[in-house]
Amino acid sequence: MKTLTAQMSGAGGQWRLYVVLYGESEWPTVRFESGPVPTGADRREALSSLGYEVAPGAAWTWIEDSKQPDDDSTPVILIAAVDVREQEGATA
């Protein structure tokens, strides 16, 4: 089964989780209300609502970025990524 990448990003406010679909103009997306980082269970539920699941053996990885990478005084943007696959019988 083909794997894709799901990413989640946030900068201290609203979080957005999406599945990267190259060549598509819109990606399946879930937005979380402002607050703490969505839990693993929250992310799993969001992926499921889009018709995806974390690929066996995959784990979330995190990096930080900034709107102005050369200025370390600007707010940090956190980006997480994980390999996902379509759920059996799901259409995303």
Side-chain angles (χ1 to χ4, degrees), residues 51-79:
Y52 295 90
E53 62 188 6
V54 174
W60 287 90
T61 58
W62 291 83
I63 61 168
E64 57 179 71
D65 197 3
S66 172
K67 288 185 180 180
Q68 297 176 356
D70 295 330
D71 183 354
D72 67 359
S73 68
T74 60
V76 170
I77 299 169
L78 293 175
I79 303 169

Side-chain angles (χ1 to χ4, degrees), residues 8-87:
M8 186 176 72
S9 61
Q14 189 180 64
W15 290 89
R16 185 172 64 109
L17 184 146
Y18 48 91
V19 177
V20 178
L21 300 176
Y22 292 106
E24 298 292 328
S25 60
E26 293 187 32
W27 295 346
T29 302
V30 171
R31 293 183 188 279
F32 297 93
E33 295 297 319
S34 295
V37 177
T39 66
D42 292 336
R43 288 177 259 154
R44 219 175 17 259
E45 185 177 315
L47 285 168
S48 180
S49 76
L50 299 173
Y52 295 90
E53 62 188 6
V54 174
W60 287 90
T61 58
W62 291 83
I63 61 168
E64 57 179 71
D65 197 3
S66 172
K67 288 185 180 180
Q68 297 176 356
D70 295 330
D71 183 354
D72 67 359
S73 68
T74 60
V76 170
I77 299 169
L78 293 175
I79 303 169
V82 69
D83 289 336
V84 297
R85 65 182 185 183
E86 287 187 17
Q87 291 176 329

